[in-house]
Amino acid sequence: MRKLRLLISIIVISVAGYFIIHHHIQTVGLPPSVYRIRMGILSPQLIHWEEETDQFKKISFYDDALLTPPGIKTPIIQSPNNQNPFTQALPSIPVNEIQVYPRTPSLPPNAPDLDQILFVMTTTSKRAQEYSQLWSHFLDYDSQCLVMLSPSESQEQHSLEYFLRHERGLNCYVRTSNVDKYENRMLSLPAEALQFAPNIDWVVIGDDDTTFIDIRLVQRMLAKYDPSQDWCLGGSTESARQFEQFGKQAFGGAGIFLSNSLAQRIADTFELCTEEFRDEMGGDGKLSKCAALSAEKDMKDTITHEKGLHQLDLPGNAEGFFQSGQPFISVHHLINGWSDVIPSYFPKYMSEDWTAIKIILRAAKFLGGDNLFRRFAFDGGRTLVTLGHSIIVFRETLTPEHYKNVEHTWFWPDYTLIDSLPTRSHNKRSYEYFLKDIYPTSLDLSTVSGYTEQPPSNWNELSDLEKDFALEQSSTVTFVYEEWYRKRTLKMVWDETRSDVDLKGDGQWFGQDWLDQESEYLQLRYQNISSHI
């Protein structure tokens, strides 16, 4: 009987304690639904961008915890000013300082102006209307765009141009090609570009689903090269199988950058290249081979591969690639294509192609291109944060050496990558959270967390452009993530008010040593190859 009374007493005290704490948490502004939410706070500290990064550079490692512990018994915890005795005993929200680059990437003085870069593509009217949602991310009114339609769609030219210029607000023009075959029409793009804008410095040829993460990264990349010389810049495939089949060509989905000089040569040899490469599969293959023929070099000496340009020939779940520390200037194949930026087993309201890429690009608008996909390891290597994308808690602790290899998350175990992209096997996870939303946040000491718990009241009524603009002006935001299995929410507050400097950046250039070294190497390479012609 005594044991029964003791058991009843323990149960009564436990239930009473639960309701008392639950009540007091609510009275300091914490909704019951937030009781299950894990949370962390990031205090970004500014460092100057000085050189490109890659997967082999050591990842920032922290032994500290990133998040509050999981589970219903661990609610969001007190702000520093919390005086509530019922919540003071609970563990506090981890606040971690991380080093980040300016949100507005700095440019060297010799970076080309946007009106000296022409983006060109050939597609259909229907696809242009859909995929121009991507173009709106990187094209502003100073950027020019030329869309070439097939002869069979000549009647769509004016309506499509009106749509792109007035509905999308893009500085795009539409012309009708006289070339029927798609591959040859792509080969004709340099000539079409120079006819449209003969004094342009750079012609950028891409697929209609090619997306540039931050246009300033494009300008900075081009600062290394002299457009009066013959340059063809591109990205390789990631797939060993594709590389074996197509070789060291420039892949169109990654973006192909032609200097004015080389674009003119290709335009002059269009008829010759059309005949010479009539059996070549793929417009980008024809263009790469024609560039080599026009420059009178081998293709391997003609194409300069930029590691930030990505074809993304990865079937299915490409999360491991986005979490790998690669530099990202362009991405491809994310709409109705090969690769998933958020795994397809997540709910459709997160993983559907357009929804997923739009939230990633919105994060890019806030973070800037140098910080998107920047990664940090917490909990001694067990928790990986990839900014603007995901938070992964592995079952095992990973070392810096593990993180130098791309995690194999895509389909088919025998689908290998090229030698410059070493991989590791898929690591088991305890939790995986992917970005679901991002919105401006402000301090609110009436809540347990110290920040507003909900987005601004009119947030869901704003257009995509209005949301992007609001985020670009914000200094404190909440990144909202969701776990697919339990559908539990995680919130990460980015609080720049904890930093002494403006993270938007002042535009000062600190990467001159990198630029000089890169330019000197490329110039020597250009001269050595030219001397053997």
Side-chain angles (χ1 to χ4, degrees):
M1 182 62 77
R2 182 188 300 177
K3 290 183 179 180
L4 179 60
R5 285 198 299 267
L6 179 59
L7 178 61
I8 293 173
S9 300
I10 291 173
I11 293 173
V12 170
I13 292 172
S14 299
V15 171
Y18 168 81
F19 282 109
I20 291 172
I21 292 176
H22 183 72
H23 168 74
H24 279 275
I25 289 174
Q26 286 186 289
T27 60
V28 292
L30 185 65
S33 61
V34 179
Y35 193 56
R36 303 169 68 93
I37 294 178
R38 301 184 73 178
M39 187 171 180
I41 299 171
L42 294 177
S43 174
Q45 307 297 313
L46 183 67
I47 58 172
H48 300 299
W49 189 95
E50 295 182 348
E51 63 178 352
E52 287 177 318
T53 186
D54 60 41
Q55 72 188 73
F56 302 109
K57 295 211 170 126
K58 186 177 180 181
I59 186 173
S60 298
F61 245 66
Y62 302 84
D63 290 328
D64 299 325
L66 174 71
L67 305 167
T68 53
I72 195 169
K73 294 184 179 179
T74 308
I76 291 182
I77 343 296
Q78 69 262 14
S79 68
N81 298 322
N82 178 35
Q83 300 299 316
N84 190 309
F86 289 91
T87 56
Q88 278 183 331
L90 297 172
S92 59
I93 300 172
V95 179
N96 286 286
E97 291 187 357
I98 58 171
Q99 293 185 326
V100 299
Y101 298 122
R103 286 166 47 191
T104 302
S106 57
L107 296 179
N110 65 326
D113 293 332
L114 290 177
D115 60 7
Q116 287 300 310
I117 306 171
L118 177 64
F119 293 86
V120 193
M121 70 198 75
T122 179
T123 185
T124 67
S125 177
K126 181 179 179 180
R127 285 178 65 93
Q129 290 181 57
E130 179 182 10
Y131 285 89
S132 55
Q133 297 176 77
L134 295 175
W135 314 345
S136 298
H137 174 75
F138 61 89
L139 292 176
D140 61 23
Y141 206 76
D142 290 329
S143 308
Q144 296 184 85
C145 159
L146 177 63
V147 179
M148 298 300 301
L149 296 177
S150 69
S152 64
E153 285 201 298
S154 59
Q155 72 280 4
E156 303 288 340
Q157 176 179 326
H158 297 297
S159 61
L160 177 59
E161 182 169 295
Y162 182 89
F163 175 84
L164 294 175
R165 295 182 65 79
H166 297 281
E167 297 294 327
R168 293 281 187 232
L170 300 173
N171 189 17
C172 287
Y173 297 84
V174 181
R175 299 290 184 267
T176 302
S177 174
N178 60 5
V179 180
D180 279 308
K181 189 176 180 181
Y182 172 82
E183 289 81 3
N184 291 339
R185 194 161 63 250
M186 188 170 181
L187 182 58
S188 74
L189 292 181
E192 298 284 4
L194 293 181
Q195 182 178 352
F196 176 80
N199 297 319
I200 209 78
D201 282 345
W202 292 97
V203 176
V204 185
I205 297 171
D207 291 352
D208 52 17
D209 60 341
T210 300
T211 309
F212 295 96
I213 293 296
D214 189 321
I215 194 65
R216 292 174 72 86
L217 302 190
V218 171
Q219 293 174 275
R220 187 172 66 202
M221 177 189 74
L222 293 177
K224 297 186 289 185
Y225 302 92
D226 181 353
S228 67
Q229 297 177 340
D230 294 341
W231 289 109
C232 178
L233 318 178
S236 173
T237 178
E238 296 78 17
S239 163
R241 188 180 305 169
Q242 296 281 94
F243 188 84
E244 182 179 348
Q245 180 178 358
F246 297 106
K248 195 182 176 182
Q249 70 171 54
F251 284 75
I256 301 173
F257 293 73
L258 300 172
S259 62
N260 183 293
S261 171
L262 185 55
Q264 187 62 63
R265 287 177 180 265
I266 295 172
D268 293 341
T269 56
F270 170 71
E271 297 295 340
L272 174 61
C273 289
T274 301
E275 177 61 25
E276 184 75 16
F277 306 117
R278 61 183 180 275
D279 297 326
E280 178 68 29
M281 185 174 68
D284 48 5
K286 284 179 182 283
L287 190 58
S288 296
K289 286 182 168 59
C290 187
L293 181 108
S294 303
E296 300 179 332
K297 304 175 186 176
D298 292 335
M299 190 167 70
K300 65 180 178 60
D301 294 327
T302 305
I303 311 300
T304 300
H305 279 158
E306 278 286 342
K307 58 187 178 182
L309 302 177
H310 297 289
Q311 170 75 1
L312 274 180
D313 285 334
L314 297 170
N317 180 9
E319 64 168 292
F321 194 77
F322 290 107
Q323 297 159 353
S324 67
Q326 306 290 328
F328 283 89
I329 298 175
S330 68
V331 293
H332 176 234
H333 274 161
L334 297 179
I335 303 295
N336 303 321
W338 285 44
S339 305
D340 299 325
V341 66
I342 293 177
S344 59
Y345 51 79
F346 269 69
K348 289 298 181 186
Y349 58 76
M350 291 177 61
S351 64
E352 186 273 328
D353 288 350
W354 278 111
T355 302
I357 189 60
K358 282 184 176 181
I359 192 61
I360 298 298
L361 295 180
R362 178 155 300 145
K365 284 289 188 183
F366 173 74
L367 292 166
D370 285 328
N371 291 317
L372 185 71
F373 303 126
R374 185 165 165 77
R375 59 189 188 151
F376 306 86
F378 286 87
D379 301 299
R382 190 172 172 222
T383 301
L384 174 67
V385 182
T386 305
L387 293 182
H389 182 247
S390 58
I391 297 175
I392 307 297
V393 182
F394 296 106
R395 290 188 186 178
E396 57 185 321
T397 299
L398 303 187
T399 68
E401 291 304 311
H402 283 112
Y403 284 115
K404 289 182 180 180
N405 300 307
V406 181
E407 186 184 9
H408 189 133
T409 58
W410 50 90
F411 297 156
W412 311 325
D414 61 343
Y415 192 90
T416 56
L417 303 189
I418 55 178
D419 292 341
S420 60
L421 294 172
T423 61
R424 70 178 194 267
S425 59
H426 190 18
N427 299 106
K428 293 182 178 180
R429 286 125 161 80
S430 295
Y431 304 94
E432 53 180 358
Y433 301 91
F434 282 84
L435 188 63
K436 177 182 177 182
D437 198 6
I438 172 176
Y439 54 77
T441 299
S442 57
L443 295 175
D444 184 353
L445 297 182
S446 69
T447 68
V448 173
S449 67
Y451 298 92
T452 51
E453 302 287 0
Q454 301 297 329
S457 57
N458 66 335
W459 186 246
N460 291 329
E461 300 170 10
L462 300 181
S463 68
D464 289 342
L465 288 176
E466 289 171 329
K467 287 181 178 180
D468 289 344
F469 179 78
L471 287 168
E472 288 176 314
Q473 309 309 308
S474 300
S475 59
T476 304
V477 303
T478 294
F479 290 91
V480 182
Y481 302 81
E482 186 171 300
E483 181 194 21
W484 75 274
Y485 179 65
R486 302 171 186 85
K487 295 188 178 180
R488 290 181 179 172
T489 300
L490 180 154
K491 291 186 177 181
M492 182 65 65
V493 174
W494 171 290
D495 187 355
E496 292 178 16
T497 64
R498 297 170 180 267
S499 177
D500 295 332
V501 295
D502 181 7
L503 266 73
K504 295 184 182 68
D506 54 12
Q508 284 188 278
W509 175 244
F510 292 89
Q512 195 60 42
D513 288 344
W514 164 82
L515 181 61
D516 290 343
Q517 291 170 8
E518 287 284 303
S519 299
E520 181 180 3
Y521 163 76
L522 290 166
Q523 193 61 34
L524 285 173
R525 177 176 179 269
Y526 180 85
Q527 292 171 351
N528 289 337
I529 293 171
S530 299
S531 66
H532 288 87
I533 295 175

